[in-house]
Amino acid sequence: MKKRKIPLRKSVVSNEMFPKKELLRITRSKEGVVAIDPSGRMPGRGAYLAIDPKEAQLAWDKKILDRVFETTLSDEFYQELVDYVAHQKARQELFANE
């Protein structure tokens, strides 16, 4: 049987390639609203971030998403992002043992 190609995407923080399922997508809509996209299907410009709390914190410290989306994001958004990534990382570790 033919092996399926795994789609890869680049993290905007570390510039490393990861399988798409291991990344979190963040989108900016045409109206300029930036949001976390857990499904990976929201319309708009997307940027990918590895599900690693250190990487999310680095994105906040260096305001990487501000540059990628050419906008100014609030500290509340970055805090939500760090919390979401930490939660997802904990879920991955919890369910990896099963």
Side-chain angles (χ1 to χ4, degrees), residues 16-70:
E16 289 183 53
M17 298 295 281
F18 293 97
K20 190 175 175 182
K21 292 203 179 246
E22 294 178 13
L23 296 170
L24 173 66
R25 184 170 188 253
I26 300 164
T27 61
R28 186 194 70 202
S29 67
K30 289 182 180 179
E31 294 80 31
V33 178
V34 177
I36 297 171
D37 180 9
S39 68
R41 298 170 193 252
M42 288 174 68
R45 167 90 166 87
Y48 290 89
L49 182 77
I51 299 178
D52 181 13
K54 293 176 193 168
E55 197 160 306
Q57 187 63 47
L58 187 62
W60 187 0
D61 294 342
K62 294 187 175 184
K63 302 287 187 184
I64 291 172
L65 295 175
D66 288 16
R67 279 185 268 136
V68 168
F69 292 126
E70 299 172 348

Side-chain angles (χ1 to χ4, degrees), residues 72-86:
T72 303
L73 299 173
S74 66
D75 286 342
E76 290 82 22
F77 176 80
Y78 279 111
Q79 185 62 51
E80 179 186 348
L81 177 66
V82 169
D83 294 342
Y84 184 84
V85 168

